[in-house]
Amino acid sequence: MRVLGIETSCDETGIAIYDTQRGLLAHQLYSQVKLHADYGGVVPELASRDHVRKTLPLIEQALQEAQLTAQEIDGVAYTAGPGLIGALLVGACIGRSLAFGWGVPAVAVHHMEGHLLAPMLEENPPAFPFVALLVSGGHTQLVQVDGIGQYQLLGESVDDAAGEAFDKTAKLMGLDYPGGPRLARMAESGEPGHYKFPRPMTDRPGLDFSFSGLKTFAANTLAATDGSPQQLANVARAFQDAVVDTLLIKCRRALQQTGLKRLVVAGGVSANQHLREELQRLMQHIGGEVFFPRPEFCTDNGAMIAYAGAQRLAAGESTDIAIKTFPRWPLNQLQPPANPQEG
């Protein structure tokens, strides 16, 4: 089954074609970073308009890359939420309309399910069950995953997500948008231990997160520095270490609580090299395994939507003709496919 995937939940237009027998056939991605950089963050209306301009040309490019015609597509998957309502509507309207015109089924995909399943695109995919750490600009969640659509939320951020805290702290430091990756690069030259930031909510039971206080702590620390490049790097290092340590502590607790030894890490922040190294060290220490998507599939992309949609379409699931999007859509509201397939 060949499935066209469309991702337009925020500021990246992602298109991909996934074949349940042959794997990923095409992957096209357009980032709006330059468009939003002057504003210091995503402007929803501009994002929606840019998706309108880019989605159809990228679909044509993906078909060319896969050496397929539209008549050879067996289904369409599109992100229906969570995300920016206008951006979601662009992908949903195009995806549902193409499926109707081509006479093939369509399925609405949960954006975070796409992230969660992104490591399945790698040569060594994780087996169910596992614990997933979904860590991005909009979400920080720990989820027990027993199968596709079988998700138990273990903990989540009660305020800023980790990626959001990275971006806001970077902005305090005067770094250009998107600030999170820039802060991570700056942290590489910071002195470990020069500043000591708190590890929020690790001194109490539970698996929830809170990162907004770290931003305030960073702001107060920055105000007390001389603003030199080395001092800024030291603050960046301390902030990143605090976030990574907090994520590690919570992941260890989640694995202990569930008795599982497999950890999946996905979402934009999963591309952070320091986080990857520390989680690999943790899993080696406890005799477990950790799985990441390749860096290009950590951020929003069409490949993860095509894969997630293919699993549900192959199981006979489809979405009716009505176009619906869900800016807020709890992951644990999803149901497993009636007839789950492998591939």
Side-chain angles (χ1 to χ4, degrees):
M1 186 177 199
R2 291 177 291 270
V3 176
L4 172 70
I6 302 173
E7 157 59 29
T8 63
S9 65
C10 190
D11 60 344
E12 271 130 355
T13 311
I15 306 295
I17 298 173
Y18 181 83
D19 188 314
T20 52
Q21 298 299 318
R22 298 165 55 199
L24 188 64
L25 303 182
H27 167 55
Q28 297 287 328
L29 183 68
Y30 175 78
S31 174
Q32 300 178 0
V33 165
K34 291 182 180 179
L35 175 67
H36 301 289
D38 289 343
Y39 304 95
V42 177
V43 181
E45 179 62 24
L46 295 180
S48 303
R49 292 179 183 182
D50 215 40
H51 287 310
V52 171
R53 287 190 288 265
K54 299 297 183 182
T55 302
L56 285 175
L58 286 176
I59 290 173
E60 292 176 357
Q61 291 176 30
L63 287 169
Q64 291 173 6
E65 181 186 348
Q67 298 182 335
L68 296 172
T69 65
Q71 290 69 37
E72 294 174 288
I73 296 298
D74 302 308
V76 178
Y78 57 87
T79 302
L84 302 175
I85 181 64
L88 290 168
L89 279 169
V90 174
C93 288
I94 291 175
R96 197 64 196 78
S97 299
L98 287 176
F100 180 78
W102 293 343
V104 298
V107 66
V109 174
H110 192 291
H111 179 75
M112 296 312 293
E113 180 172 63
H115 275 304
L116 188 153
L117 297 176
M120 299 296 187
L121 292 161
E122 303 305 321
E123 291 185 3
N124 179 34
F128 299 115
F130 54 77
V131 169
L133 171 65
L134 302 177
V135 57
S136 66
H139 298 82
T140 302
Q141 298 177 325
L142 280 164
V143 184
Q144 180 174 329
V145 180
D146 295 316
I148 294 176
Q150 300 177 52
Y151 310 130
Q152 179 185 347
L153 183 65
L154 303 174
E156 62 184 336
S157 181
V158 298
D159 42 52
D160 288 354
E164 185 179 6
F166 261 98
D167 287 339
K168 288 181 176 179
T169 302
K171 192 170 185 177
L172 290 172
M173 299 173 70
L175 301 178
D176 292 336
Y177 170 85
R182 299 177 190 274
L183 186 152
R185 286 195 292 273
M186 180 179 286
E188 293 174 3
S189 56
E191 300 173 13
H194 187 92
Y195 294 109
K196 180 66 174 178
F197 279 38
R199 275 55 175 164
M201 294 185 73
T202 59
D203 59 348
R204 67 192 75 174
L207 295 171
D208 286 337
F209 302 89
S210 172
F211 292 109
S212 65
L214 279 180
K215 178 194 65 178
T216 304
F217 197 94
N220 293 335
T221 304
L222 287 166
T225 70
D226 59 13
S228 67
Q230 185 58 55
Q231 288 296 297
L232 290 177
N234 292 343
V235 172
R237 177 61 183 264
F239 174 83
Q240 178 174 261
D241 285 350
V243 173
V244 170
D245 282 356
T246 300
L247 294 173
L248 255 67
I249 291 168
K250 298 290 184 170
C251 284
R252 185 186 298 112
R253 285 185 188 175
L255 292 164
Q256 291 172 343
Q257 178 176 311
T258 60
L260 297 173
K261 290 293 184 71
R262 281 187 293 270
L263 177 68
V264 161
V265 187
V269 181
S270 69
N272 183 285
Q273 191 59 37
H274 183 50
L275 176 62
R276 287 187 173 225
E277 291 170 356
E278 291 301 314
L279 284 172
Q280 286 169 341
R281 188 173 293 113
L282 167 66
M283 298 309 289
Q284 287 174 358
H285 178 71
I286 67 172
E289 293 181 281
V290 61
F291 301 84
F292 303 95
R294 70 194 76 169
E296 64 186 304
F297 293 159
C298 290
T299 53
D300 296 349
N301 64 88
M304 67 184 193
I305 302 303
Y307 177 86
Q311 307 314 301
R312 291 185 173 273
L313 286 167
E317 183 176 326
S318 64
T319 302
D320 62 30
I321 194 68
I323 296 171
K324 299 177 182 178
T325 55
F326 309 93
R328 297 183 181 275
W329 190 4
L331 184 63
N332 55 8
Q333 287 185 357
L334 293 182
Q335 297 296 317
N339 302 294
Q341 306 287 312
E342 296 293 332

